[in-house]
Amino acid sequence: MPRPIQATIHHESLRHNLARVRGFAQDARVWAVVKANAYGHGIERVFDALRAADGFALLDLAEAERVRALGWRGPILLLEGVFEARDLELCSRLGLWHAVHCDAQIDMLAAHKTQVGHRVFLKMNSGMNRLGFTAERFRSAWTRLDALPQVEEISLMTHFSDADGPKGVAAQMALFEHAAQDLPGERSVANSAATLRHADQPAVRGDWVRPGIAVYGSAPDHPAFDAAHWGLEPAMTLASRLISVQDLVPGDTVGYGSSFVADAALRIGVVACGYADGYPRHAGTGTPVLVDGVRTRLVGRVSMDMVTVDLTPVPQAQIGSEVTLWGRAASGAVLPVDLVAQAAGTVGYELMCALAQRVPVVVDGAA
Ligand SMILES: *Cc1c(COP(=O)(O)O)cnc(C)c1O
């Protein structure tokens, strides 16, 4: 029998979340962001469930090829644009739309020999200070692009640094709108957080929204709000089973470093899941976990292949009992990935993306 750990990708939840996000941005088109192998879910595994998107946005050219290989003929957007000149050949061949965020990318386009006009998303740096032209240089970049025979259509984009927090999007939005004033072209500014929290403003909805994390059922602004608040469902479950049970007496310790000391008699379960499966090593004693659908806590350190859990709330638990590390238990109980991430000092994004290669993945609810 294989080791009992398994991840499950829930198609119904992906469909539900996509529809839910669309509901926040009525009459905008939706890029389903599938970078980082669909946030660890697997592009091939999520594709059918996300076909209702208007396009797929990603970074990696190899991932764009995979989406085309799945038969997708609609829009694909390279969020960081091309990395070298010959990437443009693939854009021409596969009809990829691409961000243009720096002069070097315009130079490459100007030198590119192509029969097909390119659709580009000119990116403005409105305060994130990673990619894009500053407000002052945005117009001249647009003018340069507009003069290129290689360019068929120019859309405008920017990216928010604080859509999930109290600072919000107002200042960046104002800068973008001012710089883009009377420039023609479609607009795309909103990630998940902006879509959920600020898309009541038509300028934030724009023509295209770019949700990633919300599609996968994690709240972009946790812990201010949780996934249930936004009506999102987990698209990924990480589950395993108990492979051992130990009865501790007061003074007994658990795991490496003896970091947990039992102060009373305690029944603990040993779970076939560790950091080599992608479970965060920084999740300490107290991190939530479900055993037979009942919420309990980790005790002691996460090791490479195992974690240990307190069985006090689940006295009937035994070897083979179901353990939900995050996602949905057989009973229907849900453990949001965001709670596990919070306990480990990180975000749901990182846990999903870090799901290890060795974990077998099944798809639930494929059409
Ligand atoms: C990753 C990314 C998104 C999606 O962000 P989420 O927070 O996952 O919704 C949107 N736009 C750009 C440019 C990105 O890189």
Side-chain angles (χ1 to χ4, degrees):
M1 180 181 157
R3 198 163 158 261
I5 191 166
Q6 187 170 72
T8 306
I9 307 304
H10 306 288
H11 268 202
E12 264 175 39
S13 297
L14 287 166
R15 284 195 198 94
H16 165 90
N17 295 338
L18 182 64
R20 185 89 191 134
V21 169
R22 212 183 257 293
F24 280 92
Q26 303 236 340
D27 55 61
R29 274 159 288 161
V30 178
W31 292 111
V33 178
V34 295
K35 64 188 178 189
N37 199 22
Y39 290 46
H41 294 64
I43 287 176
E44 287 76 10
R45 289 187 204 106
V46 302
F47 175 72
D48 256 332
L50 299 182
R51 269 178 186 279
D54 300 290
F56 291 92
L58 38 72
L59 312 177
D60 201 312
L61 283 100
E63 291 188 339
E65 289 185 281
R66 283 161 62 192
V67 174
R68 281 284 181 253
L70 287 163
W72 179 255
R73 300 204 180 160
I76 296 177
L77 175 62
L78 297 176
L79 289 165
E80 294 181 347
V82 298
F83 303 98
E84 57 175 336
R86 59 177 194 160
D87 295 344
L88 288 168
E89 289 161 25
L90 198 71
C91 293
S92 293
R93 185 147 49 83
L94 297 183
L96 309 180
W97 302 1
H98 49 102
V100 170
H101 64 75
C102 64
D103 288 307
Q105 287 179 331
I106 303 182
D107 297 340
M108 290 184 224
L109 253 177
H112 178 51
K113 293 188 177 49
T114 179
Q115 309 301 323
V116 249
H118 282 220
R119 170 88 180 252
V120 299
F121 276 62
L122 179 63
K123 184 157 186 177
M124 182 182 150
N125 170 14
S126 57
M128 177 76 106
N129 287 313
R130 297 187 314 190
L131 302 182
F133 295 91
T134 58
E136 298 72 46
R137 301 217 37 245
F138 195 61
R139 262 162 195 280
S140 59
W142 187 90
T143 307
R144 236 194 116 194
L145 273 179
D146 189 47
L148 295 183
Q150 292 89 342
V151 173
E152 179 180 281
E153 187 171 342
I154 309 173
S155 303
L156 312 177
M157 71 185 289
T158 194
H159 193 55
F160 297 125
S161 57
D162 288 82
D164 57 331
K167 191 171 166 194
V169 301
Q172 281 184 263
M173 200 65 232
L175 199 61
F176 177 74
E177 289 211 278
H178 182 72
Q181 213 178 359
D182 38 80
L183 287 180
E186 295 188 338
R187 267 76 168 155
S188 176
V189 298
N191 58 1
S192 295
T195 305
L196 298 181
R197 293 167 67 101
H198 303 289
D200 51 325
Q201 304 167 50
V204 174
R205 285 201 296 282
D207 299 289
W208 293 85
V209 293
R210 307 190 302 265
I213 196 73
V215 170
Y216 304 101
S218 159
D221 53 356
H222 190 268
F225 292 105
D226 61 15
H229 170 86
W230 295 118
L232 303 171
E233 301 174 355
M236 179 194 288
T237 291
L238 180 62
S240 187
R241 298 193 178 277
L242 295 185
I243 56 170
S244 172
V245 172
Q246 303 285 345
D247 287 294
L248 306 187
V249 299
D252 279 351
T253 64
V254 181
Y256 287 116
S258 302
S259 70
F260 178 83
V261 186
D263 58 4
L266 182 69
R267 194 160 174 262
I268 62 159
V270 181
V271 185
C273 175
Y275 61 76
D277 300 298
Y279 195 83
R281 187 177 172 278
H282 287 105
T285 295
T287 302
V289 57
L290 306 180
V291 177
D292 284 338
V294 176
R295 182 150 161 185
T296 180
R297 59 174 184 144
L298 247 64
V299 291
R301 272 192 204 155
V302 174
S303 37
M304 182 184 281
D305 311 305
M306 286 173 264
V307 294
T308 34
V309 298
D310 180 354
L311 295 181
T312 309
V314 253
Q316 79 287 0
Q318 54 187 321
I319 289 178
S321 288
E322 175 203 37
V323 178
T324 308
L325 287 315
W326 61 71
R328 197 191 310 263
S331 70
V334 166
L335 176 60
V337 68
D338 299 319
L339 287 180
V340 181
Q342 186 180 17
T346 183
V347 288
Y349 298 79
E350 188 179 8
L351 300 198
M352 294 172 176
C353 291
L355 183 74
Q357 200 75 51
R358 80 174 186 184
V359 177
V361 185
V362 298
V363 173
D364 168 45

